[in-house]
Amino acid sequence: IDVPGVAMNRRDPDGPVDQTLRALLLDGEDGPIASLMNFACHATVLSGENLLLSAEFPGVACRIVEAATGAPTVYLQGACGNVNPVWIRQDFASVERAGQAVAGVALSVIADLRAAGDGLRGHNIRWDEFPTVGKGPSPDGIIAPRLRAARREIDLPLREFASDEEYATRIEAARTEADANPAASPARRAAMAQLSRYEGERWAAAWARRSDEAGTRRTEVQALSLGDGVALVALPGEFFVETAAMIREESGVEELLVAWYANDYIGYVVPEDAFAEGGYESGVTFFTGEAESIIRKVSLDTLREVCRHGD
């Protein structure tokens, strides 16, 4: 179910956003045992001026769902490398608002699933009977668990960076171009996109020089099959919403949860065209554009391994 009014594409207001909240419920005879939420939006309602520890809006959502169900819940961050939250103000009240919006939809799905599992009944007061009125609105949402897991290690190609002197020249040129054009003009936006890219690249280059890695970096992708038509793929860094959309479309899995920050943290892995577009994410990534397509292919191969039928 969609959660409106929480997420926006932070690179392009007209760009894609995955507003779908995906929820799982592990139900028992005595009520919910556990639940899971999967939603794609950076947990950054608060700005960098906040110096307090915070679980942000996912923490609010988990708190509300756990209080309502009496069972633990897990929040899995979706592929939101280019998606940020929207807010009234960057304060804790807006954190609560976003968390309430996510939790409200999650509780609606959980209530739907519980009804589908137990069936719905009512009191016919004319005949004093208690008929069963179907299996709830989502009978297809009930599956028998079938757990399978697989992981694959991969080597992703690392970028080559320029010198600090070269970045200083590029940054100055981009800043001069931005200042020479009016606000919100196409020319200023293009210059600002390159400015944020080169500032990010200078930072990434400094980190890369401290590392002893050369050529490639090893990481992993994991896939879990939870039952017929339901699976999870776990990615090790920050990925654009487009990457998750392509994996979902090509996998053929009816309900696919995509989790990132999983099993490793390798930073941003961006699509090839993001480099020409510029921006923060294409600046701070340590990898070439080829890395994103490698991740997608390995994700699909790993999913097929755990979702194969007949065995």
Side-chain angles (χ1 to χ4, degrees):
I1 300 179
D2 282 357
V3 183
V6 171
M8 60 163 280
N9 189 302
R10 70 185 193 182
R11 289 173 59 85
D12 181 354
D14 298 321
V17 175
D18 183 4
Q19 297 191 97
T20 302
L21 179 128
R22 296 167 175 86
L24 294 178
L25 171 68
L26 180 60
D27 207 10
E29 293 182 359
D30 298 324
I33 298 171
S35 62
L36 181 150
M37 294 179 279
N38 181 212
F39 187 63
C41 182
H42 264 95
T44 53
V45 173
L46 300 173
S47 72
E49 295 179 0
N50 171 60
L51 301 180
L52 300 175
L53 293 176
S54 172
E56 261 272 352
F57 77 84
V60 174
C62 288
R63 184 187 73 221
I64 293 172
V65 172
E66 288 182 352
T69 62
T73 188
V74 174
Y75 184 97
L76 295 180
Q77 184 62 278
C80 59
N82 52 346
V83 177
N84 264 12
V86 297
W87 32 265
I88 301 169
R89 285 171 292 277
Q90 288 190 277
D91 57 15
F92 282 97
S94 287
V95 170
E96 290 286 327
R97 184 201 73 86
Q100 290 165 1
V102 172
V105 172
L107 287 174
S108 174
V109 174
I110 289 170
D112 191 18
L113 291 171
R114 295 203 68 199
D118 293 338
L120 296 174
R121 295 168 180 80
H123 184 191
N124 182 316
I125 60 174
R126 180 184 175 198
W127 299 329
D128 194 26
E129 295 177 357
F130 297 87
T132 299
V133 286
K135 292 288 288 181
S138 302
D140 293 337
I142 304 300
I143 63 168
R146 185 204 64 199
L147 300 178
R148 289 191 180 126
R151 62 181 289 272
R152 296 195 180 188
E153 293 190 352
I154 49 176
D155 293 311
L156 297 179
L158 294 167
R159 296 169 70 182
E160 293 185 1
F161 293 98
S163 66
D164 280 344
E165 292 76 15
E166 178 61 29
Y167 283 125
T169 300
R170 295 178 187 180
I171 288 169
E172 182 60 30
R175 186 176 287 118
T176 300
E177 178 69 14
D179 292 343
N181 289 282
S185 66
R188 185 178 189 279
R189 286 177 173 175
M192 289 300 298
Q194 294 307 317
L195 175 60
S196 60
R197 173 188 170 179
Y198 293 139
E199 288 178 336
E201 280 191 26
R202 182 168 62 179
W203 172 88
W207 274 95
R209 293 187 198 106
R210 301 189 192 114
S211 171
D212 58 1
E213 294 176 316
T216 61
R217 175 170 175 178
R218 175 151 291 196
T219 187
E220 72 171 63
V221 168
Q222 183 182 31
L224 301 172
S225 172
L226 306 176
D228 287 339
V230 181
L232 182 151
V233 62
L235 307 180
E238 305 198 40
F239 296 82
F240 283 12
V241 63
E242 294 94 324
T243 298
M246 285 188 283
I247 293 173
R248 282 197 175 96
E249 181 179 356
E250 295 176 35
S251 71
V253 177
E254 185 177 351
E255 295 293 343
L256 179 62
L257 289 76
V258 178
W260 66 338
Y261 302 135
N263 303 324
D264 191 7
Y265 182 73
I266 60 173
Y268 282 86
V269 181
V270 304
E272 185 77 50
D273 56 6
F275 289 95
E277 293 171 352
Y280 166 79
E281 302 86 357
S282 57
V284 299
T285 180
F286 295 107
F287 303 98
T288 68
E290 182 187 4
E292 189 264 354
S293 60
I294 293 172
I295 286 280
R296 282 192 285 112
K297 180 182 184 305
V298 173
S299 297
L300 291 169
D301 290 344
T302 313
L303 280 166
R304 293 184 185 114
E305 180 179 343
V306 298
C307 293
R308 62 182 182 268
H309 298 283
D311 55 358

